[in-house]
Short mmCIF file of all heavy atoms in Angstrom, two decimals:
data_model
loop_
_atom_site.label_atom_id
_atom_site.label_comp_id
_atom_site.label_asym_id
_atom_site.label_seq_id
_atom_site.Cartn_x
_atom_site.Cartn_y
_atom_site.Cartn_z
N GLU A 1 -12.89 -22.33 1.84
CA GLU A 1 -13.77 -21.42 1.04
C GLU A 1 -13.56 -20.03 1.38
O GLU A 1 -13.64 -19.06 0.57
CB GLU A 1 -15.24 -21.70 1.16
CG GLU A 1 -15.63 -23.14 0.57
CD GLU A 1 -17.15 -23.39 0.78
OE1 GLU A 1 -17.88 -22.40 1.15
OE2 GLU A 1 -17.61 -24.48 0.33
N ILE A 2 -13.01 -19.79 2.61
CA ILE A 2 -12.79 -18.44 3.09
C ILE A 2 -11.35 -18.16 3.13
O ILE A 2 -10.59 -18.89 3.79
CB ILE A 2 -13.43 -18.26 4.57
CG1 ILE A 2 -14.96 -18.55 4.46
CG2 ILE A 2 -13.19 -16.89 5.12
CD1 ILE A 2 -15.61 -18.54 5.84
N SER A 3 -10.97 -16.99 2.66
CA SER A 3 -9.59 -16.55 2.73
C SER A 3 -9.28 -15.73 3.97
O SER A 3 -10.22 -14.99 4.38
CB SER A 3 -9.23 -15.67 1.55
OG SER A 3 -7.88 -15.17 1.63
N PRO A 4 -8.21 -15.94 4.59
CA PRO A 4 -7.87 -15.10 5.80
C PRO A 4 -7.57 -13.63 5.58
O PRO A 4 -7.45 -12.88 6.43
CB PRO A 4 -6.79 -15.88 6.45
CG PRO A 4 -6.03 -16.52 5.40
CD PRO A 4 -7.16 -16.94 4.42
N THR A 5 -7.41 -13.38 4.27
CA THR A 5 -7.06 -11.97 3.85
C THR A 5 -8.08 -11.47 2.90
O THR A 5 -8.64 -12.18 2.19
CB THR A 5 -5.70 -11.89 3.19
OG1 THR A 5 -5.63 -12.76 2.03
CG2 THR A 5 -4.62 -12.42 4.22
N PRO A 6 -8.38 -10.08 2.82
CA PRO A 6 -9.24 -9.55 1.75
C PRO A 6 -8.69 -9.90 0.41
O PRO A 6 -7.53 -10.20 0.22
CB PRO A 6 -9.12 -8.09 2.08
CG PRO A 6 -8.66 -7.92 3.49
CD PRO A 6 -7.69 -9.00 3.69
N ARG A 7 -9.55 -9.79 -0.59
CA ARG A 7 -9.20 -10.06 -2.01
C ARG A 7 -8.19 -9.10 -2.41
O ARG A 7 -8.17 -7.90 -2.12
CB ARG A 7 -10.51 -9.84 -2.87
CG ARG A 7 -10.16 -10.00 -4.36
CD ARG A 7 -11.43 -9.91 -5.15
NE ARG A 7 -11.16 -10.15 -6.60
CZ ARG A 7 -10.88 -9.16 -7.41
NH1 ARG A 7 -10.82 -7.90 -7.09
NH2 ARG A 7 -10.55 -9.41 -8.75
N ALA A 8 -7.09 -9.66 -3.04
CA ALA A 8 -5.90 -8.93 -3.50
C ALA A 8 -6.29 -8.30 -4.83
O ALA A 8 -5.82 -8.60 -5.86
CB ALA A 8 -4.71 -9.78 -3.57
N ARG A 9 -7.10 -7.21 -4.75
CA ARG A 9 -7.63 -6.56 -5.96
C ARG A 9 -6.54 -5.55 -6.54
O ARG A 9 -5.51 -5.28 -5.91
CB ARG A 9 -8.83 -5.75 -5.65
CG ARG A 9 -8.56 -4.63 -4.62
CD ARG A 9 -9.88 -3.82 -4.32
NE ARG A 9 -9.52 -2.77 -3.28
CZ ARG A 9 -9.05 -1.63 -3.59
NH1 ARG A 9 -8.72 -1.35 -4.78
NH2 ARG A 9 -8.77 -0.72 -2.72
N ASN A 10 -6.78 -5.23 -7.80
CA ASN A 10 -5.89 -4.19 -8.32
C ASN A 10 -6.36 -2.80 -7.89
O ASN A 10 -7.48 -2.57 -7.54
CB ASN A 10 -6.11 -4.20 -9.95
CG ASN A 10 -5.33 -5.36 -10.50
OD1 ASN A 10 -4.15 -5.54 -10.19
ND2 ASN A 10 -5.94 -6.11 -11.42
N LEU A 11 -5.35 -1.80 -7.82
CA LEU A 11 -5.64 -0.49 -7.46
C LEU A 11 -6.14 0.24 -8.75
O LEU A 11 -5.61 -0.05 -9.89
CB LEU A 11 -4.41 0.11 -6.80
CG LEU A 11 -3.88 -0.39 -5.55
CD1 LEU A 11 -2.66 0.40 -5.19
CD2 LEU A 11 -4.83 -0.32 -4.50
N ILE A 12 -6.97 1.22 -8.58
CA ILE A 12 -7.24 2.08 -9.62
C ILE A 12 -6.33 3.33 -9.49
O ILE A 12 -5.95 3.64 -8.34
CB ILE A 12 -8.71 2.51 -9.67
CG1 ILE A 12 -9.15 3.26 -8.30
CG2 ILE A 12 -9.64 1.38 -9.86
CD1 ILE A 12 -10.52 3.79 -8.35
N PRO A 13 -6.05 4.01 -10.52
CA PRO A 13 -5.00 5.15 -10.45
C PRO A 13 -5.40 6.21 -9.41
O PRO A 13 -4.51 6.76 -8.81
CB PRO A 13 -5.02 5.72 -11.88
CG PRO A 13 -5.42 4.59 -12.81
CD PRO A 13 -6.38 3.76 -11.98
N GLU A 14 -6.65 6.51 -9.20
CA GLU A 14 -7.12 7.44 -8.22
C GLU A 14 -6.75 7.13 -6.84
O GLU A 14 -6.72 7.99 -5.98
CB GLU A 14 -8.59 7.77 -8.41
CG GLU A 14 -9.01 8.43 -9.75
CD GLU A 14 -9.05 7.45 -10.87
OE1 GLU A 14 -8.97 6.12 -10.62
OE2 GLU A 14 -9.06 7.87 -12.07
N GLU A 15 -6.52 5.79 -6.54
CA GLU A 15 -6.21 5.41 -5.20
C GLU A 15 -4.77 5.64 -4.84
O GLU A 15 -4.44 5.68 -3.62
CB GLU A 15 -6.48 3.91 -5.00
CG GLU A 15 -7.94 3.55 -5.11
CD GLU A 15 -8.17 2.08 -4.84
OE1 GLU A 15 -8.10 1.31 -5.88
OE2 GLU A 15 -8.49 1.67 -3.75
N HIS A 16 -3.88 5.73 -5.80
CA HIS A 16 -2.46 5.74 -5.47
C HIS A 16 -2.00 6.81 -4.51
O HIS A 16 -1.26 6.57 -3.56
CB HIS A 16 -1.61 5.96 -6.74
CG HIS A 16 -1.63 4.75 -7.68
ND1 HIS A 16 -0.62 4.40 -8.52
CD2 HIS A 16 -2.50 3.71 -7.83
CE1 HIS A 16 -0.85 3.34 -9.17
NE2 HIS A 16 -2.06 2.85 -8.77
N ALA A 17 -2.56 8.04 -4.72
CA ALA A 17 -2.21 9.19 -3.91
C ALA A 17 -2.53 9.05 -2.47
O ALA A 17 -1.87 9.64 -1.66
CB ALA A 17 -2.77 10.45 -4.52
N ASN A 18 -3.54 8.27 -2.14
CA ASN A 18 -4.08 8.17 -0.77
C ASN A 18 -3.77 6.82 -0.19
O ASN A 18 -4.41 6.49 0.90
CB ASN A 18 -5.56 8.47 -0.77
CG ASN A 18 -5.82 9.84 -1.27
OD1 ASN A 18 -5.25 10.79 -0.87
ND2 ASN A 18 -6.85 9.98 -2.15
N ILE A 19 -3.01 6.06 -0.79
CA ILE A 19 -2.70 4.66 -0.28
C ILE A 19 -1.84 4.63 0.97
O ILE A 19 -1.88 3.74 1.81
CB ILE A 19 -2.18 3.64 -1.31
CG1 ILE A 19 -2.45 2.26 -1.05
CG2 ILE A 19 -0.69 3.92 -1.51
CD1 ILE A 19 -3.97 1.87 -1.20
N ILE A 20 -1.03 5.57 1.16
CA ILE A 20 -0.13 5.71 2.27
C ILE A 20 -0.77 6.46 3.40
O ILE A 20 -1.20 7.66 3.15
CB ILE A 20 1.27 6.32 1.89
CG1 ILE A 20 1.89 5.60 0.77
CG2 ILE A 20 2.21 6.35 3.16
CD1 ILE A 20 2.31 4.18 1.04
N ASP A 21 -0.66 5.97 4.67
CA ASP A 21 -1.22 6.70 5.79
C ASP A 21 -0.07 7.41 6.41
O ASP A 21 0.67 6.93 7.36
CB ASP A 21 -1.92 5.66 6.81
CG ASP A 21 -2.52 6.46 7.94
OD1 ASP A 21 -2.30 7.62 8.15
OD2 ASP A 21 -3.31 5.76 8.69
N TRP A 22 0.21 8.64 5.92
CA TRP A 22 1.44 9.33 6.37
C TRP A 22 1.47 9.65 7.83
O TRP A 22 2.50 9.80 8.48
CB TRP A 22 1.56 10.64 5.55
CG TRP A 22 1.67 10.38 4.02
CD1 TRP A 22 0.65 10.65 3.14
CD2 TRP A 22 2.81 9.89 3.29
NE1 TRP A 22 1.10 10.32 1.84
CE2 TRP A 22 2.37 9.88 1.85
CE3 TRP A 22 4.05 9.57 3.68
CZ2 TRP A 22 3.26 9.48 0.94
CZ3 TRP A 22 4.91 9.16 2.65
CH2 TRP A 22 4.50 9.07 1.27
N GLU A 23 0.31 9.83 8.43
CA GLU A 23 0.24 10.25 9.88
C GLU A 23 0.44 9.10 10.85
O GLU A 23 0.85 9.38 11.99
CB GLU A 23 -1.07 10.93 10.06
CG GLU A 23 -1.34 12.25 9.27
CD GLU A 23 -0.35 13.26 9.58
OE1 GLU A 23 0.16 13.36 10.61
OE2 GLU A 23 0.06 14.02 8.61
N HIS A 24 0.22 7.85 10.39
CA HIS A 24 0.18 6.80 11.36
C HIS A 24 1.24 5.65 11.06
O HIS A 24 1.61 5.00 11.93
CB HIS A 24 -1.18 6.19 11.52
CG HIS A 24 -2.21 7.31 12.01
ND1 HIS A 24 -3.09 7.91 11.14
CD2 HIS A 24 -2.54 7.75 13.24
CE1 HIS A 24 -3.87 8.75 11.78
NE2 HIS A 24 -3.52 8.62 13.10
N TRP A 25 1.49 5.44 9.79
CA TRP A 25 2.36 4.38 9.53
C TRP A 25 3.88 4.69 9.88
O TRP A 25 4.24 5.89 9.70
CB TRP A 25 2.34 3.99 8.04
CG TRP A 25 1.07 3.32 7.63
CD1 TRP A 25 0.01 2.98 8.49
CD2 TRP A 25 0.62 2.91 6.33
NE1 TRP A 25 -0.99 2.35 7.75
CE2 TRP A 25 -0.63 2.33 6.47
CE3 TRP A 25 1.27 2.88 5.05
CZ2 TRP A 25 -1.23 1.83 5.38
CZ3 TRP A 25 0.63 2.45 3.99
CH2 TRP A 25 -0.66 1.82 4.10
N ASP A 26 4.62 3.74 10.38
CA ASP A 26 5.99 4.02 10.70
C ASP A 26 6.82 4.02 9.53
O ASP A 26 6.43 3.63 8.35
CB ASP A 26 6.46 3.05 11.78
CG ASP A 26 6.44 1.56 11.33
OD1 ASP A 26 6.65 1.31 10.10
OD2 ASP A 26 6.30 0.67 12.22
N ILE A 27 8.05 4.41 9.70
CA ILE A 27 8.96 4.66 8.58
C ILE A 27 9.30 3.35 7.79
O ILE A 27 9.41 3.34 6.58
CB ILE A 27 10.29 5.44 9.00
CG1 ILE A 27 11.05 5.81 7.70
CG2 ILE A 27 11.04 4.58 9.91
CD1 ILE A 27 12.21 6.73 8.09
N GLU A 28 9.47 2.26 8.60
CA GLU A 28 9.78 1.03 7.93
C GLU A 28 8.72 0.46 6.99
O GLU A 28 8.98 0.03 5.89
CB GLU A 28 10.01 -0.11 9.11
CG GLU A 28 11.35 0.02 9.82
CD GLU A 28 11.23 0.86 11.05
OE1 GLU A 28 10.12 1.46 11.22
OE2 GLU A 28 12.07 0.98 11.77
N LYS A 29 7.49 0.70 7.47
CA LYS A 29 6.33 0.17 6.55
C LYS A 29 6.29 1.04 5.25
O LYS A 29 6.15 0.52 4.16
CB LYS A 29 5.06 0.24 7.29
CG LYS A 29 3.86 -0.18 6.45
CD LYS A 29 2.54 -0.41 7.28
CE LYS A 29 1.46 -1.00 6.41
NZ LYS A 29 0.29 -1.23 7.15
N ILE A 30 6.32 2.34 5.41
CA ILE A 30 6.26 3.17 4.25
C ILE A 30 7.42 2.90 3.24
O ILE A 30 7.25 2.85 2.03
CB ILE A 30 6.27 4.76 4.59
CG1 ILE A 30 4.95 4.91 5.46
CG2 ILE A 30 6.38 5.60 3.36
CD1 ILE A 30 4.89 6.41 6.00
N TRP A 31 8.62 2.88 3.88
CA TRP A 31 9.83 2.50 3.01
C TRP A 31 9.65 1.14 2.26
O TRP A 31 9.97 1.06 1.06
CB TRP A 31 11.06 2.48 3.94
CG TRP A 31 12.43 2.14 3.25
CD1 TRP A 31 13.12 2.94 2.49
CD2 TRP A 31 13.07 0.86 3.40
NE1 TRP A 31 14.19 2.27 2.00
CE2 TRP A 31 14.25 0.98 2.64
CE3 TRP A 31 12.80 -0.26 4.11
CZ2 TRP A 31 15.16 -0.05 2.52
CZ3 TRP A 31 13.74 -1.36 3.93
CH2 TRP A 31 14.88 -1.20 3.22
N HIS A 32 9.24 0.15 3.05
CA HIS A 32 9.01 -1.15 2.48
C HIS A 32 8.04 -1.12 1.33
O HIS A 32 8.38 -1.72 0.19
CB HIS A 32 8.61 -2.05 3.62
CG HIS A 32 8.24 -3.52 3.12
ND1 HIS A 32 9.28 -4.35 2.73
CD2 HIS A 32 7.12 -4.18 3.08
CE1 HIS A 32 8.75 -5.52 2.39
NE2 HIS A 32 7.46 -5.41 2.53
N ILE A 33 6.88 -0.52 1.41
CA ILE A 33 5.92 -0.37 0.34
C ILE A 33 6.42 0.37 -0.83
O ILE A 33 6.34 -0.05 -1.96
CB ILE A 33 4.63 0.20 0.90
CG1 ILE A 33 3.96 -0.76 1.93
CG2 ILE A 33 3.69 0.41 -0.30
CD1 ILE A 33 2.78 -0.10 2.63
N LEU A 34 6.97 1.62 -0.59
CA LEU A 34 7.42 2.41 -1.67
C LEU A 34 8.56 1.77 -2.44
O LEU A 34 8.74 1.88 -3.61
CB LEU A 34 7.82 3.85 -1.08
CG LEU A 34 6.73 4.71 -0.62
CD1 LEU A 34 7.30 6.04 -0.12
CD2 LEU A 34 5.59 4.93 -1.63
N ARG A 35 9.50 1.19 -1.69
CA ARG A 35 10.67 0.65 -2.25
C ARG A 35 10.30 -0.61 -3.14
O ARG A 35 10.72 -0.81 -4.27
CB ARG A 35 11.66 0.16 -1.19
CG ARG A 35 12.99 -0.31 -1.70
CD ARG A 35 13.89 -0.48 -0.51
NE ARG A 35 15.12 -1.38 -0.87
CZ ARG A 35 16.20 -0.79 -1.35
NH1 ARG A 35 16.31 0.41 -1.69
NH2 ARG A 35 17.25 -1.62 -1.62
N GLY A 36 9.30 -1.33 -2.56
CA GLY A 36 8.87 -2.62 -3.33
C GLY A 36 8.16 -2.25 -4.61
O GLY A 36 8.17 -3.05 -5.62
N THR A 37 7.42 -1.15 -4.60
CA THR A 37 6.55 -0.82 -5.71
C THR A 37 7.02 0.42 -6.46
O THR A 37 6.27 1.07 -7.17
CB THR A 37 5.12 -0.59 -5.24
OG1 THR A 37 5.09 0.54 -4.30
CG2 THR A 37 4.49 -1.78 -4.49
N GLU A 38 8.33 0.77 -6.43
CA GLU A 38 8.72 1.97 -7.03
C GLU A 38 8.60 2.17 -8.51
O GLU A 38 8.54 3.27 -9.01
CB GLU A 38 10.26 2.17 -6.57
CG GLU A 38 11.18 1.22 -7.33
CD GLU A 38 12.71 1.47 -7.03
OE1 GLU A 38 13.03 2.15 -6.08
OE2 GLU A 38 13.51 0.91 -7.84
N SER A 39 8.37 1.04 -9.19
CA SER A 39 8.26 1.14 -10.70
C SER A 39 6.87 1.46 -11.12
O SER A 39 6.68 1.75 -12.31
CB SER A 39 8.80 -0.25 -11.28
OG SER A 39 7.81 -1.27 -10.84
N TRP A 40 5.93 1.48 -10.23
CA TRP A 40 4.57 1.70 -10.72
C TRP A 40 3.62 2.41 -9.69
O TRP A 40 2.62 3.09 -10.11
CB TRP A 40 3.89 0.43 -11.14
CG TRP A 40 3.65 -0.58 -9.92
CD1 TRP A 40 4.55 -1.51 -9.50
CD2 TRP A 40 2.51 -0.63 -9.16
NE1 TRP A 40 3.92 -2.24 -8.45
CE2 TRP A 40 2.73 -1.74 -8.27
CE3 TRP A 40 1.32 0.05 -9.06
CZ2 TRP A 40 1.80 -2.07 -7.26
CZ3 TRP A 40 0.38 -0.30 -8.06
CH2 TRP A 40 0.59 -1.28 -7.18
#
């Protein structure tokens, strides 16, 4: 009944600009996310 991860919800457009933690995430994580989602 319990998922080990939070609900995989959709993002609202206003969230896109702040979804990356530029100050703390390493380059591999940022590259991985941006590359995977580059179309939207």
Side-chain angles (χ1 to χ4, degrees):
E1 293 183 3
I2 300 175
S3 173
T5 60
R7 179 175 180 267
R9 62 180 179 83
N10 281 313
L11 298 178
I12 59 175
E14 291 77 13
E15 291 182 277
H16 288 208
N18 299 315
I19 203 69
I20 303 294
D21 187 345
W22 300 104
E23 298 299 326
H24 300 99
W25 288 358
D26 60 33
I27 190 171
E28 287 90 352
K29 180 170 184 175
I30 295 175
W31 176 74
H32 179 67
I33 294 171
L34 293 181
R35 187 171 165 87
T37 61
E38 69 177 17
S39 64
W40 64 271

